[in-house]
Amino acid sequence: MLINKNINYSKYIFWISVLFIWIISTFADRIWWNFYSNTPSWDQADYLNSALDHARALSFMGGDGVSDFRSLLDKSPKIPPFASIINGAVIAFAGDSPHKAAWSLSFWNGFFIFNIASWGLYLRGRKYSIFCVLISACSPFLFDLRTNYVLELPLISAITFYLFHLGKWSDKSIGGKWIQLIIATFACSFSLLIKQSSLLVIIPSLLFIFILSFNRDKKFSLQFLCLFLINLLAVLPWFYHNWIMILSGTYRAVFESAAIEGDPSIFDFKSIFWYFPYLDNHFGSIIFFCGSSGILFAFLTYIRTFRSSARFIDIFNKNNYKWTWIYFNLIACWTFTTFVPNKDERYIACTIPLIILLLALGFSKWSDWLDTYFKFKYYGLLLIPPISFLFSNSINKFNTLENISSKYYPVKDIISIVKLNQTFDEKETVIVVPSTPDINQHNVSYFGRMQDGKILGRQLGQSLLHIEPVLKYSNWIILAEGDQGSVSSNSIVLDKAIRDSSLFIKIREFPREKKGSYSLWKRNSSSPKQNEFHNRFIELANGMEQGPLGIKLIFDEIEIEHMIDGHFKYQSIVSEKALSKISSDPENVESLWSLSLLNILWNRPSEADIYLRNLEILLPNNPWPSAYRSIVNLASWNPLKASLIADKAHKRNPNYFLKSLSDTTALFRGAFWRWNSASYSVPNAIKSIDEALKPIEK
């Protein structure tokens, strides 16, 4: 009884120690955040906007909530929603100003620390676990993530939770239980629904389990199948709803960004060793040296005592499996990350928990040797991570706090002025021409929507075509005197056109850290805007009957209008008018085109198909309603129906585009024998589209 009491007491002391370390690290974070008055820049403000979107959609704070599940999925067109939902819930509780919203990072940090502590206990016990926790709390890289509103900290936390519980379940000596499988399944789903880069660790880990299942019993294989299917079902609704945006966004983020930023080729020598130099900065020189040297000496000792009779299969036995799991996932995830074309020191995040476990192993080995040869207890080694942190670059962030706290950021004042000029419940869009960390469309939107605000920021100026719509229809504009930031030369032309016109008056100038200033401009009361885009939209929708030419004209104008009017006010007006006309005249072609286009813009392919079907009947000699029907059915994962529509339409109205759709959709439904036909029809369709678009090019 006394032994059990002592064990429980020691257990409580351990978890209180872990809690204390998290509190100390959170205290350091709050010192930073409470003094750090900086405005979140591009990505940070975008993630904050996403959290705010989900908080409002789920009625955590303000807003009317969403009408259905699809409306919730609309809020996460590119990045999975789980982290935004959790962050939104924390924002609803803590407040929506950036330093209060950062409490969500403290939550994720606590989740990570307790998971890494649990993993350490599982591997080698409490002493080793404390080393894991201290390295985590004192890592400069993790401190940077705790003081920077990005998704890597939620990602690391979820990945640690996932790998730990999947490893426990797949461990033959203690695993195989259904409760372990359920936890591992939830952990995998959480990771997948935070960020796509979780696949860098999830794919190889599941492949490892799949190979392992051939050497396990049927129960293990059944459990693995359940895990795979449940996770597929968990991700499917989000991916099904947003798959076009997800794939296009991922392509831009991975391949186009790599080309724009000049990242090396994946087979380049520089690319292969790209992330190694960052390890020292990520963990601090002292932590990295102590941990890696301990691992190196342990490895050399193992080599010296290595028995020639040892077999490779022995690494999979119950004594070595825990570490085999860690080594495999670290090597596989590092390799996968290396071969991603876009490079950034943050993208190595998925490997960080595994590297922490190895560095803690090095500390543990040093502790064992010092105790064996010098009777030196390990307590002194616990001071190394905090000392390493004090000598790292992270301390420089605290040294600059005085300058940061006194720095002036104009976004709050700009939004305050716009709000003062707002009528009750009015929705405003502010056109942002400069693009700098201090002022850009993302942080203008975030500050404009704080405290139930309805002000959005949108950036224009990338094209000369933006000048006329901005002069005609915009109400509020932010310009910059001096350096414009990351904008094109066309933005300078737009800036000059606004200043030279008599349509806007300068409300106020705001100082900036660099030379120059920012200025807020408002439309002159003597030149009121008259944005009747809802009427223009109806004309554009009718242009869909022209095929590619009409579509190009439509989206060129809608793209600009969605910047001018970030709230899309025209859509409700168009919808009400069209539905009213159809109720009295179901064959009103103009309204059917308008509703078809609206549902395409709303990402409602099934509803768009209904209106396009009516147009197909009313316009039997026009091939384009059938072409659009085929496309929206393909978008809603119904290639069989899409193929049948295109086949029938092509027989009725022979057309290169319909033929290519017929062949392509047939391939998607498994008719691979039509590959040869597609290889001819698709190039011909592309050529016909190019011919149709020539009038625009001229």
Side-chain angles (χ1 to χ4, degrees):
M1 179 67 73
L2 182 62
I3 293 174
N4 288 335
K5 197 170 183 180
N6 288 335
I7 290 173
N8 289 333
Y9 179 75
S10 179
K11 178 182 176 182
Y12 293 143
I13 291 294
F14 168 77
W15 286 113
I16 290 171
S17 301
V18 173
L19 178 63
F20 179 74
I21 293 170
W22 173 65
I23 290 172
I24 292 296
S25 66
T26 302
F27 181 71
D29 300 344
R30 296 320 301 177
I31 291 175
W32 167 257
W33 278 108
N34 289 333
F35 281 96
Y36 183 68
S37 58
N38 192 6
T39 299
S41 53
W42 295 281
D43 287 351
Q44 293 85 346
D46 205 18
Y47 294 137
L48 282 165
N49 275 312
S50 179
L52 208 55
D53 281 338
H54 287 81
R56 289 183 174 183
L58 295 169
S59 298
F60 294 155
M61 56 185 296
D64 299 323
V66 290
S67 56
D68 55 26
F69 186 56
R70 290 188 300 177
S71 298
L72 176 63
L73 295 175
D74 288 335
K75 305 297 180 184
S76 51
K78 297 176 186 177
I79 300 295
F82 184 71
S84 293
I85 291 172
I86 299 298
N87 294 344
V90 175
I91 286 174
F93 177 77
D96 55 9
S97 58
H99 74 282
K100 291 179 179 177
W103 275 106
S104 61
L105 298 174
S106 299
F107 164 80
W108 289 112
N109 181 45
F111 187 54
F112 169 67
I113 281 178
F114 278 87
N115 277 313
I116 204 78
S118 300
W119 205 346
L121 277 177
Y122 164 67
L123 289 171
R124 288 179 64 90
R126 292 169 188 156
K127 179 178 75 174
Y128 170 76
S129 182
I130 288 293
F131 281 126
C132 292
V133 172
L134 279 172
I135 293 171
S136 302
C138 298
S139 161
F141 177 65
L142 290 175
F143 173 72
D144 185 61
L145 296 184
R146 301 198 311 260
T147 54
N148 194 8
Y149 209 97
V150 290
L151 290 183
E152 270 64 30
L153 187 57
L155 176 66
I156 289 175
S157 305
I159 285 295
T160 306
F161 184 52
Y162 160 71
L163 285 176
F164 168 49
H165 285 285
L166 191 68
K168 278 186 70 176
W169 165 73
S170 59
D171 188 342
K172 193 173 184 178
S173 60
I174 63 166
K177 301 180 179 67
W178 281 102
I179 185 63
Q180 292 173 327
L181 174 78
I182 291 169
I183 296 172
T185 301
F186 276 108
C188 187
S189 300
F190 295 161
S191 302
L192 285 168
L193 289 172
I194 286 177
K195 201 173 182 183
Q196 291 96 315
S197 52
S198 62
L199 290 170
L200 296 172
V201 68
I202 287 174
I203 289 174
S205 63
L206 292 183
L207 182 62
F208 182 87
I209 299 296
F210 175 71
I211 295 170
L212 200 66
S213 65
F214 290 105
N215 197 35
R216 297 288 180 88
D217 56 22
K218 291 181 179 178
K219 178 187 173 184
F220 184 87
S221 300
L222 176 63
Q223 289 178 333
F224 176 62
L225 180 63
C226 289
L227 182 146
F228 182 79
L229 291 177
I230 292 171
N231 277 283
L232 197 63
L233 291 172
V235 177
L236 190 61
W238 170 73
F239 186 79
Y240 170 78
H241 187 73
N242 295 304
W243 70 275
I244 296 174
M245 290 292 290
I246 293 166
L247 295 181
S248 60
T250 302
Y251 176 80
R252 285 195 299 272
V254 174
F255 297 99
E256 289 185 4
S257 294
I260 292 169
E261 295 166 9
D263 291 326
S265 167
I266 59 173
F267 298 109
D268 192 300
F269 184 82
K270 186 179 179 181
S271 175
I272 294 172
F273 292 94
W274 178 274
Y275 291 105
F276 284 98
Y278 291 112
L279 289 175
D280 183 51
N281 290 331
H282 281 2
F283 295 100
S285 301
I286 301 174
I287 287 178
F288 189 70
F289 173 77
C290 292
S292 56
S293 61
I295 295 167
L296 178 62
F297 292 149
F299 178 73
L300 293 175
T301 303
Y302 174 75
I303 292 294
R304 217 174 77 180
T305 59
F306 187 74
R307 293 175 299 173
S308 59
S309 60
R311 299 175 301 164
F312 178 74
I313 198 171
D314 287 342
I315 67 173
F316 291 97
N317 68 31
K318 64 180 182 180
N319 296 320
N320 291 322
Y321 179 78
K322 299 174 183 178
W323 289 100
T324 302
W325 176 247
I326 291 169
Y327 298 144
F328 172 82
N329 282 290
L330 175 58
I331 294 169
C333 182
W334 184 281
T335 304
F336 273 47
T337 306
T338 297
F339 285 105
V340 171
N342 194 16
K343 308 291 186 194
D344 188 276
E345 59 181 300
R346 282 196 288 126
Y347 299 162
I348 202 174
C350 289
T351 64
I352 292 298
L354 299 163
I355 296 172
I356 287 172
L357 294 174
L358 284 186
L359 292 176
L361 180 63
F363 273 81
S364 188
K365 291 296 184 183
W366 274 116
S367 174
D368 292 343
W369 292 326
L370 289 173
D371 186 38
T372 301
Y373 296 108
F374 301 101
K375 303 302 178 184
F376 180 82
K377 295 299 180 183
Y378 74 94
Y379 306 114
L381 294 176
L382 298 179
L383 296 175
I384 291 178
I387 291 171
S388 177
F389 180 79
L390 292 175
F391 284 94
S392 70
N393 292 331
S394 296
I395 292 300
N396 293 334
K397 295 185 77 170
F398 287 100
N399 294 335
T400 60
L401 278 178
E402 185 177 350
N403 293 331
I404 291 172
S405 61
S406 61
K407 185 179 175 182
Y408 174 69
Y409 298 95
V411 176
K412 292 180 182 178
D413 289 342
I414 290 174
I415 295 301
S416 296
I417 292 173
V418 177
K419 283 185 176 180
L420 284 173
N421 285 268
Q422 259 184 312
T423 57
F424 178 74
D425 212 34
E426 182 185 10
K427 296 178 178 179
E428 282 285 4
T429 302
V430 179
I431 304 303
V432 186
V433 177
S435 181
T436 67
D438 294 345
I439 289 185
N440 54 73
Q441 60 172 323
H442 301 300
N443 54 34
V444 168
S445 289
Y446 185 71
F447 280 91
R449 297 169 67 229
M450 282 169 50
Q451 299 174 354
D452 296 328
K454 296 181 179 180
I455 299 170
L456 293 176
R458 291 291 182 264
Q459 186 175 10
L460 282 171
Q462 299 89 338
S463 167
L464 295 177
L465 296 174
H466 297 173
I467 296 174
E468 185 180 353
V470 168
L471 294 177
K472 280 186 177 181
Y473 307 125
S474 58
N475 198 30
W476 291 93
I477 302 173
I478 299 174
L479 302 178
E481 291 72 39
D483 183 17
Q484 290 273 356
S486 56
V487 297
S488 66
S489 58
N490 292 332
S491 297
I492 309 298
V493 180
L494 174 61
D495 180 284
K496 188 175 186 305
I498 293 165
R499 294 176 190 275
D500 291 346
S501 76
S502 59
L503 301 173
F504 299 90
I505 56 172
K506 185 190 292 187
I507 302 298
R508 183 178 155 187
E509 283 194 2
F510 305 86
R512 59 194 296 195
E513 186 179 12
K514 296 181 180 178
K515 290 182 180 179
S517 59
Y518 297 109
S519 56
L520 178 64
W521 297 69
K522 187 180 187 302
R523 179 170 290 276
N524 197 321
S525 58
S526 61
S527 56
K529 63 172 184 174
Q530 294 181 348
N531 192 345
E532 301 290 334
F533 187 75
H534 53 273
N535 293 327
R536 178 61 181 148
F537 181 88
I538 295 169
E539 296 174 20
L540 291 169
N542 285 332
M544 290 176 72
E545 63 185 11
Q546 300 175 37
L549 180 61
I551 291 294
K552 179 71 168 64
L553 291 171
I554 287 167
F555 284 98
D556 282 350
E557 291 201 35
I558 286 178
E559 179 186 18
I560 298 172
E561 175 60 23
H562 284 188
M563 296 291 106
I564 297 289
D565 172 19
H567 298 278
F568 314 147
K569 300 174 195 173
Y570 74 90
Q571 293 184 351
S572 59
I573 300 172
V574 172
S575 179
E576 287 172 10
K577 282 186 175 182
L579 289 171
S580 176
K581 286 183 180 180
I582 282 182
S583 65
S584 58
D585 179 13
E587 296 185 355
N588 187 296
V589 172
E590 183 182 78
S591 298
L592 289 170
W593 279 121
S594 296
L595 290 169
S596 299
L597 181 54
L598 275 179
N599 279 283
I600 289 170
L601 294 174
W602 291 336
N603 191 17
R604 299 293 184 268
S606 300
E607 287 82 346
D609 179 59
I610 295 169
Y611 297 113
L612 290 168
R613 169 61 180 157
N614 293 336
L615 286 165
E616 194 177 37
I617 295 168
L618 293 170
L619 305 172
N621 296 323
N622 190 321
W624 297 111
S626 300
Y628 302 139
R629 276 196 75 202
S630 181
I631 292 169
V632 297
N633 277 282
L634 186 62
S636 60
W637 292 22
N638 195 345
L640 177 60
K641 185 177 179 180
S643 179
L644 292 173
I645 291 168
D647 283 339
K648 289 179 182 178
H650 179 62
K651 290 175 183 177
R652 189 169 61 249
N653 296 300
N655 176 294
Y656 280 127
F657 191 76
L658 285 172
K659 176 60 177 169
S660 69
L661 277 177
S662 175
D663 290 334
T664 305
T665 52
L667 289 173
F668 274 102
R669 67 177 171 83
F672 300 115
W673 56 87
R674 294 183 63 170
W675 177 264
N676 286 334
S677 178
S679 65
Y680 290 103
S681 63
V682 172
N684 285 331
I686 294 171
K687 186 177 178 181
S688 68
I689 292 172
D690 289 339
E691 291 291 329
L693 295 179
K694 276 185 179 179
I696 294 180
E697 295 173 3
K698 291 178 181 178

